[in-house]
Amino acid sequence: MTLRFVTTNEGKVREARDYLAELVDVEQFDYDYTEVQSDSLADIAARGAEEAFEAAGGEDPVIVDDAGLFVGELDGFPGPYSSYVEDTIGIQGVWTLAQELDDRRAAFRCTVAYTDGETTETFDGAVQGRIVAPRGTGGFGFDPIFEHDGTTFAEMSTEKKNALSHRGRALAKLADWLAEREE
Ligand code: ITT
Ligand code: NA
């Protein structure tokens, strides 16, 4: 089975390919789906997947992955604005803001939505950590400033990050669900 991962972000594809290698072929479909206005990551991702499924030709199943970094003491900022914040103030800017906080705990959250045109399902994953000064060269996005158990996500291999991360946890649920359906 081929699964088309609808995203402009190659880092996400690398992680999904690594994780799902034994189950499906993951191909990137570089398409910027419409992110509907909603507080629910699941709603945004599910509607995005359905739109992208049609845009991709309506044959192979697709997934989309809506993720964000949520800093507790900043009431979850940048959360749904994570992409915009990365493009504007950047990870250094987020570290500068976080430096002023007493409590730098944060979470990454991710919702993966799958659709094959008939069935749409969403899978959530989250991981706790804290914001630190940038370290490491692996991963992508906010990984250099997100520390989990003393190591930043940018200091981990893809395999290690997948074993712990928001995306890895969501992909694990997707993989279980796909495997069950194939039985
Ligand atoms: P698509 O929407 O095209 O998939 P995107 O990069 O815009 O790509 P998101 O909206 O889901 O994806 O991501 C929001 C931001 O969070 C963006 O700046 C990402 O780089 C960042 N991000 C997402 N997952 C991440 C991860 O695992 N590690 C670090 N940063 C991540
Ligand atoms: Na996005």
Side-chain angles (χ1 to χ4, degrees), residues 12-173:
K12 290 182 180 180
V13 181
R14 204 163 49 236
E15 291 175 11
R17 207 170 261 153
D18 198 83
Y19 199 91
L20 299 172
E22 293 185 357
L23 200 62
V24 290
D25 288 327
V26 178
E27 267 181 28
Q28 181 172 7
F29 179 52
D30 192 336
Y31 173 81
D32 203 5
Y33 63 89
T34 314
E35 294 195 12
V36 295
Q37 280 299 331
S38 168
D39 291 336
S40 152
L41 282 184
D43 194 36
I44 297 168
R47 309 250 307 257
E50 285 164 0
E51 176 198 318
F53 176 76
E54 297 303 329
E59 280 177 27
D60 295 322
V62 302
I63 55 171
V64 305
D65 166 321
D66 196 33
L69 176 68
F70 296 73
V71 180
E73 204 175 303
L74 298 177
D75 290 334
F77 180 84
Y81 308 106
S82 293
S83 210
Y84 178 76
V85 165
E86 191 193 336
D87 291 345
T88 52
I89 64 172
I91 66 168
Q92 191 62 52
V94 174
W95 163 239
T96 302
L97 284 176
Q99 247 178 316
E100 306 298 321
L101 305 176
D102 296 326
D103 180 356
R104 297 179 190 150
R105 281 180 296 175
F108 270 128
R109 294 183 200 291
C110 165
T111 297
V112 171
Y114 166 98
T115 193
D116 55 18
E118 284 177 4
T119 307
T120 302
E121 277 288 320
T122 60
F123 307 90
D124 296 329
V127 59
Q128 309 296 323
R130 66 186 191 107
I131 306 298
V132 296
R135 294 196 325 260
T137 55
F140 66 91
F142 299 102
D143 284 342
I145 60 166
F146 188 85
E147 186 189 72
H148 179 89
D149 266 351
T151 309
T152 70
F153 274 7
E155 294 175 316
M156 297 178 186
S157 64
T158 299
E159 203 184 349
K160 175 92 192 287
K161 181 183 166 188
N162 271 341
L164 299 164
S165 77
H166 50 313
R167 179 160 303 101
R169 288 172 183 174
L171 290 172
K173 293 179 187 170

